[in-house]
Structure formats: structure tokens, C-alpha cells
Amino acid sequence: MRLALLACAVAGVLTLSACGTSATDGDATRAELTSLELDLLTRSGTFTRTSVDLANAESELISACMTAQGFRYRADASAPTAESDEERSLNMKERHERGYGLAAQYGDEKEAAGIAANDAYVAGLSKKNADAYSEALRGDATDFREMRFEGGRNITFSARGCEARSRTSLYGNLDDWVAIAYFPQNLNSELTPRVEKSPKYRKAMNDWRTCMRGQGYTYASPDAAYDQLKAAYRAQGVTTALREREIAVSVADGDCGAEVHVPSTVLALRRAYAQSLPTADKLQLQRLTTIWKTAADGIQ
């Protein structure tokens, strides 16, 4: 039987009063979010290095746990990027190689990404041993729980197995691990309408459109460019000409975004508007940031 963790909602996002900590206006000790809390909220600044370090640590813990149960598990060892927030957002290398990634979505052939070492190892096991591997890693069908976020987003995760043990070891409990992964994202998305109404954002987009016209394109926005190309793939399927157009549009979009600093403008607005979020949401973000930082400090 699947267990469900039913979360309360404040301003459209999760609050963990059902999970152990409630947040009220009377609990507030400070009004301003710190730079670190804004990093977690917007996935900027220190977020990239910290998230990579935590992911690597989690992978090493899983590897040790699986090895103790007689299975091989290769730990990830990713390196944090040295790019700026804007450079990571634009991801020009990816644009030059794959555009928006639409051709891969609508193509008949899978991209040659290779088989991960752990997947290859499991593929070589007997069905009995592969099932045992899966149970050791994530438990069985009776071990899954669900955390419900406002807006109909449900996150399902296992409460047993090496993944769960490793996350509990890092973050203290699984509820906080899930909340750290998804609460800031949901909260950040709440800021989007305000960002898009901002005069600074509208000016940046006007400048972006002017830049794009200079390169021969008349899209209203980056989203509009993406959506029109997506519609073309749905209508035509993957063709060489459409794939080349996708890459050209995506690169022009990125070049213009960099020229007029659209990502930096959006990020600055998000970080500024976050200071006016409801107190309960800010308190929850502060609590989760403390847990996130404690987890990161513990692996140093």
C-alpha cells in the first residue's frame, strides 16, 4: 500500500506544518531573506556548487550501502561548473549542438548517450538478482510515499533502500529532503507573474525582440520561438531543414539573451521580489536553507 504524506499549502506551495514544523507570523525573527536563502530559492549563486557536492556525497553513500549488500554501484563524481548564472542559464554549448532539444524529442531514434555504468551492470544480472538490486536501492512497491504540493504536483519517493538511507543521513529525514528539492522551485514559480509584469523585464524583452529582428527573426519571446518550432515538429516530423532552423533560432535566442542580459534581469527581479513573499513561506525557506547548509557543511 502506498503511503501518502499530505502537506498543507500556503500561497500555493508546501509548508511542513503537517511534517513537524509550523510557521506563523508570530514566529518571524527577521524579515529579510539572506543571500544563501535566495540562492536556494532561485538556484543561483552558491546553489550549483553546493548541489553538486551534495549529489556526489549522496552517490558515495549509496555506493557504500549497495556494496555492503553485495552489489556494485558506481558513485557519481560530477564537477561544478565555473560558469556564471547567466552563462548556465543560456547554455550556449547545448544550443549550438542540440538547439532546444526538440529534434531529439520528436525523432525516431534515441540520441547516442551511452548506457550508464550502473544500468549496464543491472542489465547483466539475472532477473532475480536485478529485482534484489532494485529492492536494495529503492525498496519494493509497498515502500513508496507521496508528498502533495499545491497545484496538483505529487512527488513519489521510497522510504526504504539505500537511496532513502543516504538521503536521511545527509538531510536528517526524507520529508526535508523532498521539501528542499521542490519547495523552493514551487515558491520561485510564484514570482513569475510579478517578474513578467516588471518594467525592467518588459524592456529586456523589447531589447531581445529588437536583437532577434536584426538576425532575421520576429518571435515575441523565447517561449514563442520554442512553441512555434515545437508545433512545426508536430506537423512535419524531424527533417534536416527543421533541425538546422531549430539550432539557428536557439543560438540567436541565446546570443540576444546574452547581449541584453535577459537571464540576469530575471534573476535580479526574482531575488528582489522574493523579499515580499508571505512570512510563512519565508520562514519555511529559512528553515530548509539551514538544513541544506548543515548537510553541505557536514560533507566538507
Side-chain angles (χ1 to χ4, degrees):
M1 178 178 65
R2 179 171 295 180
L3 301 177
L5 177 63
L6 185 58
C8 301
V10 172
V13 288
L14 173 72
T15 179
L16 299 187
S17 58
C19 312
T21 299
S22 62
T24 65
D25 286 1
D27 295 328
T29 57
R30 56 184 168 84
E32 294 295 302
L33 294 171
T34 66
S35 178
L36 188 64
E37 289 156 0
L38 292 170
D39 287 352
L40 179 59
L41 174 67
T42 60
R43 297 193 164 206
S44 62
T46 62
F47 176 84
T48 300
R49 174 173 290 279
T50 301
S51 61
V52 168
D53 289 345
L54 284 167
N56 287 345
E58 179 184 312
S59 187
E60 289 173 2
L61 288 169
I62 294 171
S63 178
C65 177
M66 293 294 285
T67 299
Q69 298 192 52
F71 296 105
R72 192 180 74 200
Y73 186 97
R74 179 176 294 179
D76 292 331
S78 301
T81 178
E83 294 179 316
S84 67
D85 290 323
E86 183 159 276
E87 288 169 337
R88 284 190 297 101
S89 176
L90 292 170
N91 198 356
M92 293 306 299
K93 182 176 184 295
E94 182 82 355
R95 290 174 185 267
H96 279 282
E97 293 175 354
R98 301 177 64 248
Y100 295 114
L102 287 168
Q105 293 180 37
Y106 288 92
D108 293 330
E109 297 181 1
K110 298 285 185 182
E111 289 189 273
I115 300 177
N118 294 324
D119 291 340
Y121 169 69
V122 175
L125 297 176
S126 67
K127 184 181 185 306
K128 178 180 178 181
N129 287 338
D131 289 345
Y133 178 99
S134 179
E135 184 170 351
L137 184 62
R138 298 192 180 99
D140 60 31
T142 67
D143 297 320
F144 282 82
R145 300 171 60 190
E146 186 174 81
M147 181 174 283
R148 301 177 188 174
F149 289 80
E150 185 73 5
R153 186 178 193 184
N154 299 341
I155 305 301
T156 302
F157 57 97
S158 178
R160 289 186 61 237
C162 287
E163 284 186 347
R165 292 181 194 175
S166 300
R167 290 161 182 166
T168 299
S169 176
L170 283 171
Y171 298 97
N173 64 70
L174 291 174
D175 294 344
D176 286 340
W177 164 72
V178 175
I180 287 168
Y182 294 100
F183 176 85
Q185 290 186 56
N186 285 8
L187 198 59
N188 194 28
S189 70
E190 296 273 316
L191 301 171
T192 299
R194 292 189 64 189
V195 168
E196 293 179 346
K197 292 176 183 177
S198 165
K200 289 183 179 180
Y201 174 80
R202 291 179 176 178
K203 180 182 184 306
M205 291 310 303
N206 281 335
D207 292 344
W208 178 88
R209 285 189 286 270
T210 299
C211 177
M212 288 291 282
R213 283 196 295 271
Q215 300 201 40
Y217 302 110
T218 57
Y219 297 107
S221 68
D223 286 345
Y226 178 91
D227 289 343
Q228 287 185 39
L229 285 163
K230 188 174 183 178
Y233 275 110
R234 285 176 174 169
Q236 304 173 30
V238 177
T239 66
T240 299
L242 187 53
R243 185 192 299 266
E244 290 176 350
R245 177 172 175 79
E246 177 195 351
I247 291 175
V249 171
S250 177
V251 169
D253 170 10
D255 285 341
C256 287
E259 182 175 319
V260 303
H261 300 295
V262 171
S264 294
T265 299
V266 170
L267 179 58
L269 288 168
R270 287 188 181 280
R271 292 176 75 96
Y273 288 142
Q275 299 293 357
S276 60
L277 284 165
T279 300
D281 288 340
K282 290 165 75 174
L283 287 172
Q284 189 59 272
L285 181 63
Q286 289 165 1
R287 188 184 78 83
L288 294 175
T289 303
T290 297
I291 296 168
W292 180 61
K293 183 177 186 303
T294 299
D297 289 345
I299 62 175
Q300 299 303 319

